[in-house]
Amino acid sequence: MAKTGSALALCLLSAATAFADVEFYQTADRTKVGTEDTFGLTIVVGDAPEGAQLQFPTPDEFEVLSRSQSTQMSYQMGGGGAGVIKRLQRYNLVLRAHKVGTLTIPASVLTAAGKTWKTQPLKIEVSKGRVAPDPRAQQQQKHPSIDSLFPGFPNFEDEDKTAFPDFPEPDIPRSDSDLFLKASLDKTEAYVGEQVTLTLVIFSRVDLSSVDAVNMPKLEGFWSEDLDTPTQLAPEQRMVGGVPYRAYLLRRRALFPVKAGTLTINAAEADITTGFLFNGHRVHRKANTLTLKVKPLPSNANGPQDVNVGQWRLSAEASQTNIKLGEPIQVKVTLEGKGNLRNLSPPALNGPSSVKIYEPTTTDKLSISGGLLGGKRIQEYVVLASQTGDFTLPGLSLPFFNPETGKHEESKTDPIVLHVAPSTTGATAMGIPSATPSLGDAIHKNRLEATGLKSLRHTASFVTPAPPLWSRPFFIPLALTPLVALLSWGFVGMLRNVVAPNSPAAQKKAKTKAARAKLSAAQKLLKSGKTTDFYAEVERAVLSFLEAELASNVVGLTRPALDEKLAAFGANETVRAQILRVLDTCDMGRYAPGMGDEKSRERAIDDAAAALGGFSAK
Amino acid sequence: MMPLFFSVLLAQATYYTPQEATELFNQANDAYYKQDYATAQKTYLKLVEHGQSGADVLYNLGTAYLATGDLGPAVLYLERAAQRSRADDIEAHLSLARAKQLDQVVGALSDEPFLQRVANAFNPDLLAVVFLVTWWLGLGLAAFTHRRPSGQRLVFGLVTLGSLVLAVASGALLANHVYVSQTVREAVVQPEVLKVLKGPSDGSPVAFEVHAGLKVRVVEEDGKYLRLKLPNGLDGWAEKEGVETL
């Protein structure tokens, strides 16, 4: 409950007046109210002394919804003397009772210079709900508006300029009275198919920054069309129970009930940010639930039961009525009015068997007029006569139920008479194409559009697909095998070197490796000008290799001794000859002129590599 | 003897012979052409429930649901068909279903994340074969080249390098496919409207609503709730019954 007992200093400009002249009283605009009613309490202070302090009544049983003040000054002429300035201060409070019973509004107290004035306490009888219309609202209605007094003068309260003129005055909720969400229907009863407008409005006495989310209820039992969804918050001043609020339209939807009975619309919800910048707060508000009594359409004793609801006007016109055989014409059937255009069932154009009427193309154009949904549906038929003569396309009829009059009505068109003359070639009859002909050209095209569903598959494989290869049990072992084998090979070699580093096999391998390294070193000297060094390196490589393979010293052996040793090792004649030739080449390269050119050296190193390779493969 | 007899009976009850399956498939197709979509759907479903759900059956089943406007099961079975084989007719019907779907996911860069698109672009079996062949070849050649004289190593070395590069590339693509298939769970919204909550509890406020046929990713599970994520990053919790995983 708002604090009402806080002292208020009265800063009066008037000169101090005699205490005896102080006028001080309080009045309520009603003595019988309901718990849902608001009422006004007015405290009047006339000619208060300077520095006077007013203490408002502090009724626990009432809630103060708003407070305002006004000042009135008047000048009264004295009898032959100077006039007197009278100052009247009015404090207007809007209250609402918390409970039922006879409640008391305590006295207001005015103090100045040690003196105290008190008003009379007021008795208010409170009953449950609403008791009577707000007299302040009635008073506003009784007074002619400025607009009626001054026609043409801009009227700021013109209902047509408000975004939601039919929105009824809501009840102020007991909690969240500063900011609340209200939903309303413009009718409490409607026929099936009749438009009912749902409006969702925020009422606020605080600054709004934005509406972050709006959850509209599920509109079961309704066909719904959006009428207005503002992209920006636009406030309108509204008095709710005598309390000024800013009202913001959130959504407006046209609902068309599709079944009879009592339909309930659940509460809409919204997340709203109040304040600005760093003072912003996000709050969640829930609107009220709504119910609508939906009446079934009354039965039509004189005709078929209507499926169309609203106010509709049907018209039909042909592009031309005097035609030659083979010339297609266009018949445009227009349905216009108010109601749920999308749910309309317009009549189909029929004609005699000599006239082919093709499937129409339909165009809908929705419109909103005075908050009511409506629009225009145009169906364009292409009509082609198959023989000469006069043919009549019968008039069309659209029965509908008009909820405004509560009666079944019907809109009709006149029949269209076609006069078909022989074609330019003199033909009096023709075949009718099955597809729609073009209006501009009698030669029509068979339009083939790749829209809609494609064909089914007429054969099927029922085999469930096998799991992918990577998920089969053999895949991981198969992928790891070469890697494991390679690593094992390397590891075993390393292990062998560690366990038996001086074994004959290890020594042989090391020497062979050293020999190959020497050959690589010789290869590096290939392009340098050091001929002697190059051939010495090649010779060393070959001898090192042979020492490693034969497991004995071969340096210093004569060629026949070396040949004998190689033969004893099992080297065949070709290999032996190749090795001896390489050694001879090295001797010549070191001592004989003409071996220093690059080609000779390349040949020498190729021969050495071939000899070593041949010996290894012997 | 008796358990064997029952197991044989059970096996017969849970599997149609190819002739029976073909007959059912044709019956379902006939019902579809007569616009008896409910019968067509039931008959296709019999095949699916008996494990005989190849891409053809799933495509026809999704198409039958699409014909009746049931977007939830339509998208579900068409997506399952697309997982088995990418074909133009499946893609066309999926596009049609997406066009009819009520939700517009605003701000989504693509329907599928990058890794998923890469995984879908390659045949996993082909990747597995390429990987195994190049991997064996590369490592075998590496060992062989090591034993060759230095003058003969260049050609073998280049072939080895090429094989190993191809093995690494195909292995990476295959690993991505395995990762996607093991971690990405997708689902399709089934009811006309599904409320997605802010948390995995009954009292949690509604974050947003999605509608039948929307494909979402399942990123977490908590009791009877699944945490769903849309391609634009929007996420929330919905009951498991509301979606069918692909």
Side-chain angles (χ1 to χ4, degrees), chain A residues 529-556:
Chain A
K530 298 172 181 173
T531 309
T532 309
D533 292 345
F534 168 76
Y535 285 108
E537 199 66 39
V538 174
E539 188 179 23
R540 270 199 296 272
V542 173
L543 291 176
S544 299
F545 177 79
L546 292 177
E547 276 184 1
E549 290 293 324
L550 301 176
S552 69
N553 192 10
V554 294
V555 178

Side-chain angles (χ1 to χ4, degrees), chain A residues 128-155:
Chain A
K128 194 168 174 61
R130 282 189 179 277
V131 169
D134 190 348
R136 286 160 295 161
Q138 288 176 334
Q139 199 175 2
Q140 282 174 2
Q141 285 174 358
K142 280 177 191 170
H143 287 99
S145 70
I146 193 167
D147 192 38
S148 60
L149 295 174
F150 302 97
F153 193 84
N155 182 0

Side-chain angles (χ1 to χ4, degrees), chain A residues 132-297:
Chain A
D134 190 348
R136 286 160 295 161
Q138 288 176 334
Q139 199 175 2
Q140 282 174 2
Q141 285 174 358
K142 280 177 191 170
H143 287 99
S145 70
I146 193 167
D147 192 38
S148 60
L149 295 174
F150 302 97
F153 193 84
N155 182 0
F156 298 105
E157 294 179 354
D158 189 352
E159 281 200 338
D160 291 342
K161 289 178 184 171
T162 67
F164 36 100
D166 298 329
F167 201 91
E169 185 177 309
D171 295 332
I172 300 172
R174 294 206 176 267
S175 61
D176 304 326
S177 61
D178 282 348
L179 175 64
F180 59 91
L181 196 61
K182 282 286 171 187
S184 166
L185 294 174
D186 64 342
K187 292 172 189 155
T188 54
E189 281 189 1
Y191 287 103
V192 171
E194 181 183 358
Q195 180 180 331
V196 181
T197 306
L198 168 67
T199 309
L200 185 64
V201 176
I202 297 174
F203 287 90
S204 174
R205 289 194 293 177
V206 295
D207 291 327
L208 294 194
S209 172
S210 63
V211 177
D212 304 315
V214 179
N215 286 329
M216 289 300 283
K218 209 168 137 183
L219 299 166
E220 284 179 2
F222 294 96
W223 183 299
S224 152
E225 292 282 349
D226 194 26
L227 290 177
D228 197 359
T229 303
T231 52
Q232 287 188 328
L233 290 174
E236 281 186 17
Q237 291 297 328
R238 287 282 176 119
M239 294 297 283
V240 182
V243 182
Y245 274 90
R246 273 169 300 195
Y248 302 85
L249 175 68
L250 274 189
R251 296 279 187 280
R252 207 141 60 96
R253 285 203 173 162
L255 307 182
F256 298 91
V258 294
K259 61 181 179 183
T262 302
L263 301 182
T264 302
I265 300 170
N266 292 328
E269 296 177 36
D271 289 328
I272 303 159
T273 301
T274 63
F276 295 100
L277 295 175
F278 303 109
N279 287 328
H281 294 284
R282 192 169 182 184
V283 295
H284 184 79
R285 290 290 184 269
K286 194 172 180 180
N288 47 310
T289 56
L290 298 165
T291 54
L292 179 71
K293 188 179 172 187
V294 182
K295 298 179 282 186
L297 298 181

Side-chain angles (χ1 to χ4, degrees), chain A residues 117-131:
Chain A
W117 291 265
K118 279 189 177 178
T119 64
Q120 291 294 321
L122 297 173
K123 297 275 184 195
I124 304 288
E125 278 184 42
V126 183
S127 51
K128 194 168 174 61
R130 282 189 179 277
V131 169

Side-chain angles (χ1 to χ4, degrees), chain A residues 5 19 41 85 89 101 105-106 123 162 192 220 253 344 359 368 377 434 478-479 561 565-566 579:
Chain A
F19 287 176
L41 173 69
I85 296 173
Q89 201 96 350
I105 299 174
K123 297 275 184 195
T162 67
V192 171
E220 284 179 2
R253 285 203 173 162
L344 268 185
E359 281 297 308
I368 300 166
R377 170 169 290 180
S434 57
L478 201 60
K565 210 160 193 172
L566 289 172
I579 290 171

Side-chain angles (χ1 to χ4, degrees), chain A residues 292-522:
Chain A
L292 179 71
K293 188 179 172 187
V294 182
K295 298 179 282 186
L297 298 181
S299 59
N300 186 5
N302 302 323
Q305 295 305 311
D306 302 321
V307 290
N308 301 310
V309 178
Q311 296 166 43
W312 298 105
R313 191 169 61 82
L314 190 65
S315 62
E317 60 172 334
S319 56
Q320 53 183 319
T321 52
N322 294 312
I323 53 175
K324 287 183 178 171
L325 187 69
E327 283 182 356
I329 62 160
Q330 185 187 55
V331 176
K332 190 190 281 186
V333 178
T334 306
L335 191 55
E336 197 173 2
K338 291 177 185 173
N340 188 0
L341 183 73
R342 294 194 197 279
N343 204 25
L344 268 185
S345 299
L349 182 68
N350 294 310
S353 58
S354 309
V355 176
K356 174 77 176 175
I357 300 171
Y358 293 89
E359 281 297 308
T361 56
T362 303
T363 314
D364 282 348
K365 191 177 175 187
L366 287 179
S367 63
I368 300 166
S369 171
L372 291 175
L373 195 71
K376 188 189 281 189
R377 170 169 290 180
I378 299 172
Q379 289 189 309
E380 292 174 323
Y381 292 87
V382 173
V383 176
L384 185 64
S386 61
Q387 62 184 69
T388 56
D390 290 346
F391 304 103
T392 302
L393 302 178
L396 299 173
S397 165
L398 179 81
F400 61 90
F401 176 76
N402 185 344
E404 282 198 11
T405 60
K407 289 179 181 171
H408 293 275
E409 297 176 10
E410 194 171 12
S411 179
K412 292 182 177 178
T413 65
D414 294 329
I416 298 171
V417 180
L418 301 178
H419 308 287
V420 184
S423 67
T424 49
T425 59
T428 56
M430 60 175 279
I432 295 292
S434 57
T436 310
S438 162
L439 282 171
D441 188 350
I443 300 169
H444 62 280
K445 298 283 185 188
N446 181 22
R447 293 185 61 180
L448 301 171
E449 291 183 56
T451 54
L453 291 176
K454 294 191 178 301
S455 308
L456 290 182
R457 293 187 180 176
H458 66 282
T459 57
S461 165
F462 301 106
V463 180
T464 306
L469 270 181
W470 59 262
S471 67
R472 308 275 183 92
F474 63 81
F475 184 80
I476 298 288
L478 201 60
L480 289 178
T481 299
L483 189 65
V484 170
L486 204 64
L487 291 175
S488 304
W489 181 43
F491 180 73
V492 166
M494 199 173 66
L495 203 63
R496 200 160 46 197
N497 286 340
V498 170
V499 171
N502 296 319
S503 67
Q507 282 181 349
K508 179 185 171 185
K509 190 177 178 184
K511 284 183 178 178
T512 306
K513 197 174 177 182
R516 290 187 190 280
K518 285 189 174 76
L519 205 57
S520 297

